[in-house]
């Protein structure tokens, strides 16, 4: 049980001792919605279990009332025991939707009391931020802070913590977050880093032990987490797609051309590979540190699908999902030499959306160490992705 859970349980039991057989749950347990994550009704501002000691009935005047009271009490204690989590979320971009999915998984699947501090520079009318009502309905407290401004983080953290788990999905004030939460000694501090730090290899997927760019900012922040004395782990995502995607360019780039019959520029011979990962899978990997704190401590994990896909395979998948004949679409593919275009000005949005070489990571370490397993497949996800793409009218007009 974490410190936050211990404090909550102690408070509940102290109240019980004072009131005899009456257990009063404080407002600390009022954050979940109508139903708690444990199948019992939430308690509201206060809940009285049983009747007073003078009634002669220790847990209520009837067996039914007593059973319901005990169920409610167990729900309170279970939530307190599960602990609390803090997510610090960026304003958007390639990792923009991770906080949304992570918050739901921590609250619903892990039973944690979740607080999210989101950079207020986010465009709140865009996904995933326009769906944050889903988080509040799940009992997640969302705070907004201008993370780039001095003192904003500290103000937002007033009344937060201590938390057992901290998930840091931003690079604006990462060291400030690490310093602030170090006093809590959380069970786990998970930093969302970047798979972009790796140096390409000629063959095979990129491993956590591979060569990296030593001047990479995210690498330095991984190291600062260790220097802060945190029980840290780092997750290095690659290319992420929806739902609630904040950066749809990866797959939209192909669909924009396929739906209009426009040429599709593909580097080399199309055999270069990468990974495309559903945001829910990426979030579930982050959430898997809960219960695997010892295994995750001091470790780096590639955060991606366990399937490598070639550039030309992405063309084929997008074509089929768009209702086109893949063989016919391949006739519109123009293979090019990346070196020939180096330094040349390209139209906005015209640049190939992935690295022009093979640049795909292996997720085997997360599967073996954390027991994580992805649940989504790109081919199946393309069905709803294309439907949403067309619903938004992205297949109309100029590219």
């Amino acid at each position: 049980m974490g410190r936050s859970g211990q404090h909550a349980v102690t408070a509940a039991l102290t109240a019980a001792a004072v009131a005899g057989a009456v257990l009063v749950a404080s407002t600390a347990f009022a954050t979940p919605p109508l139903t708690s994550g444990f199948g019992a009704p939430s308690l509201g501002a206060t809940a009285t279990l049983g009747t007073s000691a003078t009634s002669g009935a220790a847990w209520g005047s009837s067996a039914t009332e007593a059973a319901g009271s005990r169920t409610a009490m167990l729900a309170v204690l279970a939530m307190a025991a599960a602990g609390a989590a803090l997510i610090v979320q960026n304003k958007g971009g390639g990792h923009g939707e991770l906080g949304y999915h992570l918050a739901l998984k921590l609250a619903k699947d892990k039973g944690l009391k979740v607080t999210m501090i989101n950079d207020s520079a986010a465009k709140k009318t865009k996904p995933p931020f326009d769906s944050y009502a889903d988080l509040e309905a799940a009992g997640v407290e969302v705070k907004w802070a201008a993370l780039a401004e001095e003192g904003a983080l500290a103000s937002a953290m007033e009344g937060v913590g201590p938390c057992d788990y901290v998930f840091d999905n931003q690079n604006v004030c990462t060291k400030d977050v690490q310093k602030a939460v170090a006093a809590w000694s959380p069970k786990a501090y998970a930093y969302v880093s970047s798979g972009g730090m790796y140096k390409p290899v000629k063959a095979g997927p990129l491993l956590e032990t591979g060569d990296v760019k030593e001047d990479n900012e995210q690498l330095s922040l991984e190291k600062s987490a260790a220097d802060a004395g945190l029980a840290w782990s780092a997750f290095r995502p690659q290319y992420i797609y929806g739902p609630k995607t904040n950066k749809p360019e990866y797959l939209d780039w192909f669909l924009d051309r396929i739906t209009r019959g426009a040429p599709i520029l593909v580097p080399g011979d199309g055999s270069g590979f990468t990974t495309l990962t559903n945001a829910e899978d990426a979030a579930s990997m982050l959430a898997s540190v809960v219960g695997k704190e010892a295994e995750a401590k001091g470790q780096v994990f590639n955060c991606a699908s366990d399937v490598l896909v070639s550039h030309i395979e992405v063309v084929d998948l997008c074509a089929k999902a768009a209702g086109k004949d893949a063989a016919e679409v391949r006739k519109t593919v123009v293979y090019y030499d990346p070196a020939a275009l180096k330094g040349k000005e390209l139209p906005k949005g015209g640049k190939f959306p992935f690295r022009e070489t093979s640049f795909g990571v292996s997720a085997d370490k997360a599967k073996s160490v954390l027991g994580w397993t992805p649940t989504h497949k790109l081919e199946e996800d393309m069905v709803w992705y294309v439907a949403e793409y067309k619903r938004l009218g992205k297949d109309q007009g100029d590219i």
Side-chain angles (χ1 to χ4, degrees), residues 163-235:
C163 293
D164 305 286
Y165 304 94
V166 178
F167 298 87
D168 201 353
N169 185 32
Q170 54 81 42
N171 294 314
V172 176
C173 57
T174 309
K175 290 184 179 180
D176 293 334
V177 172
Q178 293 170 351
K179 182 178 180 181
V181 304
W184 297 346
S185 297
K187 293 180 180 179
Y189 166 86
Y191 169 59
V192 182
S193 185
S194 172
M197 70 176 66
Y198 290 114
K199 295 180 180 180
V201 294
K202 292 183 178 180
L206 297 162
L207 305 177
E208 291 87 349
T209 54
D211 292 335
V212 295
K213 303 170 185 175
E214 291 297 331
D215 60 350
N216 182 270
E217 178 187 6
Q218 285 78 20
L219 179 62
S220 70
L221 294 173
E222 291 179 5
K223 294 177 179 178
S224 69
D227 294 340
L230 291 164
W232 71 279
S233 56
F235 293 81

Side-chain angles (χ1 to χ4, degrees), residues 7 111 116 124 213 232 260 264 268 285 290 295 359:
H7 295 329
M116 177 189 287
K124 297 181 183 179
K213 303 170 185 175
W232 71 279
R260 294 167 176 81
I264 306 169
M285 183 187 292
V290 179
E295 292 86 346
F359 200 76

Side-chain angles (χ1 to χ4, degrees), residues 187-190 231-235 285-286 288-301 365 369-370:
K187 293 180 180 179
Y189 166 86
W232 71 279
S233 56
F235 293 81
M285 183 187 292
L286 288 164
S288 67
V289 303
V290 179
K292 291 282 187 177
E293 299 85 1
E295 292 86 346
K297 184 178 180 180
Q299 298 297 318
V300 173
F301 300 96
K365 182 177 178 180
V369 175
L370 300 177

Side-chain angles (χ1 to χ4, degrees), residues 177-361:
V177 172
Q178 293 170 351
K179 182 178 180 181
V181 304
W184 297 346
S185 297
K187 293 180 180 179
Y189 166 86
Y191 169 59
V192 182
S193 185
S194 172
M197 70 176 66
Y198 290 114
K199 295 180 180 180
V201 294
K202 292 183 178 180
L206 297 162
L207 305 177
E208 291 87 349
T209 54
D211 292 335
V212 295
K213 303 170 185 175
E214 291 297 331
D215 60 350
N216 182 270
E217 178 187 6
Q218 285 78 20
L219 179 62
S220 70
L221 294 173
E222 291 179 5
K223 294 177 179 178
S224 69
D227 294 340
L230 291 164
W232 71 279
S233 56
F235 293 81
R236 298 172 177 174
Q238 251 200 328
Y239 303 112
I240 298 173
Y241 62 91
K244 310 291 184 183
T245 182
N246 190 251
K247 189 175 181 180
E249 290 87 344
Y250 303 131
L251 292 172
D252 282 11
W253 188 91
F254 294 92
L255 292 172
D256 287 346
R257 287 152 181 78
I258 290 170
T259 56
R260 294 167 176 81
I264 306 169
L265 273 67
V266 174
D269 61 0
S271 63
F273 59 80
T274 189
T275 58
L276 280 159
T277 307
N278 188 298
E280 291 181 344
D281 279 341
S284 73
M285 183 187 292
L286 288 164
S288 67
V289 303
V290 179
K292 291 282 187 177
E293 299 85 1
E295 292 86 346
K297 184 178 180 180
Q299 298 297 318
V300 173
F301 300 96
N302 288 331
C303 188
S305 164
D306 60 352
V307 176
L308 297 173
V309 58
S310 71
H311 299 154
I312 197 62
E313 285 174 335
V314 176
V315 173
D316 291 345
L317 288 172
C318 289
K320 292 176 182 177
K324 305 289 184 180
D325 182 273
E328 290 298 314
V329 171
R330 280 207 184 198
K331 294 178 182 178
T332 67
V333 172
V334 178
Y335 297 101
Y336 70 94
D337 179 6
L341 292 181
K342 190 174 182 178
K344 292 188 177 181
E345 191 73 21
L346 294 176
K348 184 179 180 180
K351 185 179 180 182
F352 190 69
F354 309 135
R355 297 288 183 95
E356 293 173 309
T357 60
S358 288
F359 200 76
V361 299

